[in-house]
Amino acid sequence: MFDARPVAYVIGLLTACLGASMLIPMALDLWAGNGHWAAFAESAVITAGVGVFVALATSNGVGNRLTIQQTFLLTTGVWLALPIFGALPMYIGATEASYVDAFFESMSGLTTTGATVFTELEDLPMGLKLWRSMLQWFGGIGIIVVAMVFLPELRVGGMQIFRSESFDTMGKVLPRAVQIAAQIAYFYIGLTIACGVAYALVGMSAFEAINHALTTMSTGGFSTSDASFGAFQGAPEYVASFFMILASLPFVRYVQLLSGSAKPLLRDSQLRAYLVAIFLVTILLTLFRLYALGDSVSVGFREGLFNVVSIISGTGYASVDYQLWGSFAVALFFFLGLVGGCAGSTACSVKIFRYQLLFASIKSQIRRIHTPHGIFQPRYEGKPVSEDVISSVMSFFVLFLVSMGVLSVLLGMTGLDFITSVSGAASALANIGPGLGDEIGPAGNFSGLNDTAKWLLAGSMLIGRLELLAVYAIFTVRFWRA
């Protein structure tokens, strides 16, 4: 019989921690002298109370081992439970947000999607601005742990290829996850502090620097201004680009670097491919703006680099409305968002390593056609790739495209136009943030969408953040019979 107690225990503990963290923005609102602190106080009591009750009620079922079934349910359960409670300060408070809007914002935060339904961000209480940023920061470190500990063991989307990189965790998931999270935290916190200091040095206020450091290192993209990074053009764009790149590199390499081994970082093929892709696309876009639009090299390179890094990493900041650059730029950014950063980072979307494995498989198939009797096996970083990894990657691509198609149709059925439906579906599943069009493009937001569309998009953010199969698996009959 399936035992849900270990799953509920972990979810309860994390929910209690989330409730305790609400005291930080509450204290900020108290210091600022606005009444929104009461919403955080009430939300903290509810969230922490429920979390502690669930943890105490299920503590008698805790062990050091999690079954595959329990691990699947835990991974999805955490990313569903935390947004439910993370939405409370926005719903209870003075924002006049409906619960669907509050849940959408909370899910967008914890999945580091960055799509927002809030307008006039400058007028929001300071505590609520900080809470949105904190949700993304929590989601950033959370997804790194999930990508390093759980997904390789669950064999989701080819992630099993990183099992040796993510340490031996099978049968010891809970204690090992804590150890890995502690190692990751050194770099994550250190880079966040460095990012905040850098922002302050280039002209941001202390509050703006803190918020943007939290959402940059999580590649989340929430900002304190409706103009996003359009309010901080110039040197802050270079700072943001640098730290977004660092955040979208494999954090396991930082852990290895901390232990004194730099070779894995230098030899990582997905890391090299990711950096080369950023460089080539930035140069291409700069040249396009130089010759087709007449922009200067300095402005073209700076804005091109920033927006390319923002979209490919899934951060979702926007310093300009790149839709005004023409159809070439629009198409380029749409497909760029479907590439993604490196596995084991805070970045989202498909991930660069899956494209490497896809091309390796295509190359092997072409060689088999030329030489039918030859034996050719796809290779990754010089090593043969097993058939189950290739099959898992192919399944991911097919499922991603099918999911995007179905979601686009469902969004269209709610009354959204074609561009909004397709780009919204891609944005949610790939956790990019902005879509295309006047409504949800880089100069807009998701506030004008109907409630049904918001629920669909919020659910899709969860599915996309957990690599699709980790969520879909729990809806099969075979999963519950296992």
Side-chain angles (χ1 to χ4, degrees):
M1 183 177 177
F2 178 72
D3 186 4
R5 288 177 300 172
V7 175
Y9 177 75
V10 176
I11 294 176
L13 286 181
L14 292 175
T15 301
C17 291
L18 184 73
S21 70
M22 293 178 183
L23 298 178
I24 298 174
M26 183 197 77
L28 179 62
D29 274 343
L30 266 174
W31 174 80
N34 70 65
H36 198 264
W37 68 268
F40 281 107
E42 185 177 346
S43 301
V45 170
I46 295 172
T47 303
V50 171
V52 169
F53 175 79
V54 171
L56 289 176
T58 56
S59 59
N60 61 336
V62 176
N64 287 334
R65 299 180 65 87
L66 285 179
T67 65
I68 289 293
Q69 194 179 32
Q70 289 170 331
T71 306
F72 267 105
L73 196 60
L74 174 62
T75 305
T76 303
V78 167
W79 251 264
L80 180 60
L82 296 187
I84 290 174
F85 290 98
L88 291 180
M90 304 177 226
Y91 177 61
I92 296 175
T95 61
E96 299 182 356
S98 64
Y99 187 76
V100 61
D101 282 348
F103 181 79
F104 181 98
E105 196 80 5
S106 180
M107 180 65 79
S108 180
L110 281 161
T111 58
T112 71
T113 302
T116 183
V117 293
F118 287 162
T119 58
E120 300 179 352
L121 296 176
E122 293 86 351
D123 297 331
L124 289 180
M126 293 179 67
L128 193 54
K129 292 180 187 178
L130 180 62
W131 180 240
R132 294 168 72 246
S133 302
M134 287 173 59
L135 286 176
Q136 292 204 319
W137 196 79
F138 294 150
I141 192 170
I143 201 61
I144 298 172
V145 174
V146 167
M148 292 178 61
V149 179
F150 296 108
L151 297 184
E153 299 296 349
L154 300 180
R155 300 176 178 270
V156 170
M159 287 293 290
Q160 61 265 41
I161 199 172
F162 297 110
R163 288 183 71 177
S164 61
E165 300 287 355
S166 303
F167 313 102
D168 180 17
T169 58
M170 181 51 67
K172 299 174 286 184
V173 170
L174 288 182
R176 195 57 174 145
V178 173
Q179 183 180 351
I180 293 173
Q183 292 175 312
I184 291 171
Y186 290 126
F187 276 97
Y188 194 66
I189 294 173
L191 288 173
T192 303
I193 293 172
C195 183
V197 171
Y199 277 141
L201 291 175
V202 295
M204 286 190 182
S205 69
F207 184 70
E208 291 168 342
I210 291 170
N211 277 273
H212 287 92
L214 295 175
T215 60
T216 297
M217 286 312 304
S218 61
T219 60
F222 277 161
S223 180
T224 57
S225 170
D226 283 341
S228 189
F229 252 76
F232 310 104
Q233 291 183 336
E237 290 175 279
Y238 284 114
V239 172
S241 299
F242 177 72
F243 282 99
M244 283 189 288
I245 290 174
L246 290 183
S248 52
L249 301 183
F251 271 71
V252 68
R253 301 305 180 206
Y254 298 144
V255 173
Q256 292 166 333
L257 189 64
L258 184 64
S259 64
S261 178
K263 288 184 179 179
L265 179 67
L266 300 175
R267 294 179 178 177
D268 194 319
S269 66
Q270 66 163 338
L271 188 154
R272 293 197 304 271
Y274 179 62
L275 295 180
V276 168
I278 290 174
F279 175 77
L280 292 178
V281 175
T282 300
I283 294 301
L284 176 63
L285 197 57
T286 302
L287 292 175
F288 168 75
R289 293 188 61 189
L290 177 64
Y291 292 105
L293 303 179
D295 293 325
S296 66
V297 174
S298 60
V299 173
F301 178 79
R302 171 172 52 82
E303 293 182 350
L305 173 66
F306 175 84
N307 288 282
V308 165
V309 174
S310 178
I311 295 300
I312 195 173
S313 66
T315 307
Y317 289 139
S319 61
V320 293
D321 185 358
Y322 46 74
Q323 293 181 124
L324 301 178
W325 298 351
S327 56
F328 168 74
V330 171
L332 181 65
F333 279 114
F334 177 80
F335 289 107
L336 196 62
L338 300 180
V339 175
C342 300
S345 70
T346 63
C348 49
S349 196
V350 175
K351 305 291 192 308
I352 202 81
F353 86 94
R354 290 195 176 97
Y355 288 99
Q356 291 177 294
L357 291 173
L358 175 65
F359 294 145
S361 178
I362 292 173
K363 180 180 178 181
S364 295
Q365 291 294 334
I366 292 174
R367 295 180 70 184
R368 290 191 187 105
I369 293 174
H370 290 312
T371 312
H373 302 293
I375 299 177
F376 305 103
Q377 187 173 9
R379 305 181 76 84
Y380 181 77
E381 295 189 336
K383 301 176 183 178
V385 180
S386 63
E387 189 61 34
D388 74 305
V389 172
I390 295 298
S391 175
S392 184
V393 170
M394 296 301 180
S395 299
F396 178 90
F397 273 107
V398 172
L399 192 57
F400 185 89
L401 293 174
V402 170
S403 298
M404 194 172 84
V406 171
L407 180 58
S408 298
V409 171
L410 292 176
L411 290 173
M413 291 173 65
T414 69
L416 303 186
D417 62 81
F418 177 78
I419 295 296
T420 303
S421 297
V422 174
S423 66
S427 171
L429 282 172
N431 305 113
I432 302 167
L436 298 176
D438 295 333
E439 190 165 17
I440 63 171
N445 59 54
F446 290 70
S447 61
L449 303 188
N450 58 77
D451 285 356
T452 303
K454 290 173 184 175
W455 283 119
L456 288 170
L457 290 170
S460 300
M461 293 176 199
L462 168 65
I463 293 170
R465 182 76 276 193
L466 297 180
E467 312 281 347
L468 285 80
L469 288 165
V471 179
Y472 288 147
I474 67 175
F475 292 102
T476 62
V477 175
R478 185 178 180 84
F479 173 83
W480 295 103
R481 287 179 177 175

